[in-house]
Amino acid sequence: MRQSRTSGSAGSGEEQSRRLPNNSHQKPKSQYLTLNSGIKLHYTTMGEGFPVLFLQGSGPGASGWLNFRYNAAFFANNGYDVIIPDLPGFGDSDKPELDYTLDFFVEVVLEFADKMDLQQFALVGNSLGGAISVGVALAQPERVSHLILMGCGALEDQPYYGQHMEGIQAMTKVPLGSPEFTPTYLKEVLKLIVFDPKHITDELIEERFRVLKTQKPSVFTRMSTPNLTDRLGDIQCPVLGFWGANDRFCPLSGAEKLVTGCNNAQVITLSKCGHWVMIEHPELFNQRSVEFLQNT
């Protein structure tokens, strides 16, 4: 099992000197792990302590590090083993041609945890990553200590998102890989993810377009998630949710579903915030999340 220390312990001496500033965006060394299916996953790690597994959202050019670069150092500095994989089809992980179902992603995450020798862990999931986190907690409840969910997916029937959510409509309007899906168009799509467009930097567009050029259309055309609302009562661990009032990808009604459907949930909703709470309000997200892990 991966070594851990008491949650919240910051360490001392040489260990203390290795701490990164809480606002550090320095990406850790890339690592790779191959699943039994032959799919190779890219991941990064930071810190020591109780494992916290971060699962990114979907979208053109998405990756784990880009989703959580404003959060990793804070969790690591507060005594957690931060583990951030790229889901299959995203980032620098393999991108096979297959059906990207929720069951597929849940199986991938559980096998990844097995191969990393994680007997128990907390999950942090944004959007698709939130849906997968719920799926993992339902599949093997004894292994998941806490759920932290931001703009969680799979709380509506799948057609609802394409019919009613402006961000999903824009993301799927132009097929991935077509000449029309330019960096300029990518920027317009990503602006819908946030309330304040200042977060959509040229650096972000450059890195996401690099990943986008390696993605296959099937990661979106063959992706399917069920509506998990009726199963929220089966979640056994405590849940902390975050939701932006201006989320154009997952409706704000999901926040109410979490607190009414789960047995032990609290949800923070924020004005002037879109789908990326952890990027638009990193200080609040980091502090409240670590307090939740330490005290719940």
Side-chain angles (χ1 to χ4, degrees), residues 151 242-247 250-252 268-275 277:
F242 293 87
W243 225 288
N246 308 98
D247 195 325
C250 292
L252 183 58
I268 298 169
T269 56
L270 298 94
S271 59
K272 298 183 179 180
C273 180
H275 194 49
V277 174

Side-chain angles (χ1 to χ4, degrees), residues 84-125:
I84 308 177
D86 290 338
L87 295 170
F90 299 94
D92 291 316
S93 289
D94 283 350
K95 302 171 178 66
E97 289 282 1
L98 46 72
D99 292 333
Y100 285 87
T101 65
L102 186 65
D103 286 345
F104 163 73
F105 284 119
V106 168
E107 290 171 3
V108 164
V109 171
L110 286 171
E111 185 180 344
F112 176 80
D114 289 343
K115 288 185 176 293
M116 295 288 288
D117 202 14
L118 307 179
Q119 296 182 16
Q120 191 181 43
F121 47 88
L123 282 165
V124 179

Side-chain angles (χ1 to χ4, degrees), residues 157-209:
D157 294 336
Q158 185 166 326
Y160 177 93
Y161 295 101
Q163 294 168 3
H164 298 280
M165 303 311 295
E166 179 186 3
I168 300 294
Q169 292 169 350
M171 189 174 72
T172 57
K173 180 180 178 181
V174 176
L176 200 67
S178 69
E180 291 79 15
F181 214 125
T182 62
T184 299
Y185 185 73
L186 175 62
K187 188 170 187 176
E188 293 307 307
V189 171
L190 294 186
K191 282 181 179 179
L192 296 173
I193 295 183
V194 295
F195 176 80
D196 189 338
K198 73 178 184 181
H199 299 286
I200 310 304
T201 62
D202 291 341
E203 179 185 20
L204 176 65
I205 295 300
E206 181 180 357
E207 175 60 12
R208 287 195 60 136
F209 199 73

